Amino acid sequence: LGSWIITNWFQVATGGSPAAPTMSSGSDGYPQTAAVDGTTAVAFTEAHLKTEIQSVWTQGGEIDSIFVMVGPVNKKAVSGFTGIATRFRDVPAGKQAQIIGAADVYVSDFGVVNVVPNRFQPENRAYLIDPDKLAVTYLRSFRTIALAKTGDNTKRMLLTEYTLKVRNEKGLGTIRGLTTT
């Protein structure tokens, strides 16, 4: 996903030679070079998120359908943004009170954004994703293939090939070069 986001690419790390990914000049429209992060990572701040939300909105992204996907370290950073006004909720009589220690929704100037943790993405990145701008494309549709039988056990293999399809990369965003500890 990160190599497809070219328009709304925000590098916060400094040092080295950070560079945005580039697209192929040919007719295939595939990424040609990967992004290069800076060498000195920077802590994720609310200002970074605001800048990237504005960039995605300016390029036509529908902010109310976007979510921010971050690794566990940067999910904690979002929960610590100073813009969070209260950390409590109304508790009905006779119910146990809850302590709120996380922010799962961010209300920006351009719309409401959900914050989603993802343990499988690079920790040093935050992605702004509009699900309508992405799809799964099947290169080979699902097939079931019978395998050798062992006793009473019947074995089957499910075979398919699929990939990520980016419908419009301008409705997506990424913040790169974030700290990972």
Side-chain angles (χ1 to χ4, degrees):
L1 175 63
S3 63
W4 284 98
I5 302 172
I6 295 170
T7 304
N8 301 311
W9 181 83
F10 185 44
Q11 172 68 249
V12 296
T14 58
S17 300
T22 60
M23 294 300 274
S24 170
S25 60
S27 61
D28 61 7
Y30 294 111
Q32 181 177 345
T33 61
V36 177
D37 291 337
T39 55
T40 307
V42 174
F44 192 21
T45 67
E46 188 174 4
H48 298 144
L49 183 58
K50 284 182 172 186
T51 298
E52 194 60 14
I53 289 172
Q54 180 181 348
S55 179
V56 170
W57 181 83
T58 301
Q59 293 295 326
E62 297 298 325
I63 300 302
D64 284 336
S65 65
I66 285 181
F67 60 90
V68 177
M69 197 164 55
V70 291
V73 169
N74 289 305
K75 174 64 172 89
K76 286 174 37 181
V78 171
S79 296
F81 286 172
T82 58
I84 298 173
T86 60
R87 292 181 181 240
F88 63 87
R89 68 170 74 160
D90 292 334
V91 179
K95 295 288 184 176
Q96 183 82 24
Q98 298 175 348
I99 298 173
I100 308 299
D104 296 325
V105 176
Y106 182 82
V107 180
S108 75
D109 293 327
F110 303 98
V112 176
V113 177
N114 290 310
V115 181
V116 178
N118 180 352
R119 67 175 59 98
F120 302 110
Q121 78 175 55
E123 181 66 56
N124 66 341
R125 297 189 180 149
Y127 293 114
L128 280 75
I129 297 174
D130 182 346
D132 294 337
K133 307 293 188 268
L134 300 172
V136 174
T137 296
Y138 290 90
L139 306 172
R140 186 177 359 177
S141 59
F142 282 97
R143 282 188 350 188
T144 303
I145 301 169
L147 299 175
K149 188 171 173 135
T150 307
D152 287 339
N153 186 1
T154 302
K155 298 178 184 177
R156 304 262 186 231
M157 176 176 67
L158 185 63
L159 181 64
T160 188
E161 290 182 35
Y162 58 93
T163 188
L164 175 68
K165 178 179 181 180
V166 177
R167 292 180 172 152
N168 181 356
E169 66 87 22
K170 290 184 178 184
L172 307 170
T174 184
I175 303 168
R176 299 176 180 276
L178 300 171
T179 55
T180 60
T181 57

